[in-house]
Amino acid sequence: MNTNLKKYGTSFLLGGGLFCLYLFTREFPASEASENFRMLADAATIPGLLFVMFGALIWAASLGAMDGVSYGLGYALRAFLPGGRMQPEETYAEHIAKRREKYANSRGYGFLFITGIIFLAIAGIFIALFYLF
């Protein structure tokens, strides 16, 4: 089976599960059609935003946007751990090199962003139907 099909299939199943979970926690179906469209739009917006934000976060981290934060937090955390200061100090340049090596093969997370956009498009359709009825 194609790996892209597995990635997209898994993300759509997870998004569909979140979609159904939201609807099961509400009183769906409602008596009014407009209320049903609003609940469907809300249910599609939740996985859409989650997938888009996770995709954007992974993309930003792979470009190095979080390297300074991770270095600073690691340095501060070592100050509070017993024996943390006894470990050899890692320079910022060494930390950056290690992170770049780690994220060198982290390609292929665009499916999260694309799946989120599809769920947001579905939510947009339900929002348009909400305003029509």
Side-chain angles (χ1 to χ4, degrees):
M1 187 178 222
N2 191 359
T3 58
N4 282 336
L5 187 61
K6 285 182 186 178
K7 289 178 184 179
Y8 282 100
T10 304
S11 62
F12 275 112
L13 282 175
L14 182 62
L18 290 171
F19 185 89
C20 292
L21 182 67
Y22 179 83
L23 290 178
F24 289 144
T25 59
R26 304 291 182 252
E27 294 180 12
F28 185 80
S31 59
E32 296 181 23
S34 64
E35 188 66 21
N36 285 334
F37 289 133
R38 185 192 60 80
M39 282 192 272
L40 289 169
D42 290 346
T45 301
I46 292 170
L49 288 177
L50 283 175
F51 283 134
V52 166
M53 291 301 144
F54 281 136
L57 183 65
I58 291 172
W59 176 69
S62 70
L63 291 178
M66 309 296 178
D67 288 344
V69 174
S70 68
Y71 178 76
L73 286 176
Y75 188 80
L77 186 63
R78 278 195 303 270
F80 294 110
L81 291 176
R85 290 287 189 183
M86 300 181 90
Q87 297 173 359
E89 292 282 328
E90 180 184 45
T91 65
Y92 184 67
E94 293 169 346
H95 178 75
I96 294 295
K98 186 173 71 172
R99 297 285 289 181
R100 294 242 167 97
E101 182 181 319
K102 178 182 176 183
Y103 283 113
N105 297 325
S106 69
R107 305 263 185 240
Y109 286 100
F111 71 94
L112 290 173
F113 193 78
I114 293 170
T115 304
I117 294 294
I118 291 171
F119 272 106
L120 288 176
I122 293 169
I125 292 169
F126 285 130
I127 288 171
L129 289 172
F130 169 75
Y131 283 114
L132 287 176
F133 291 100

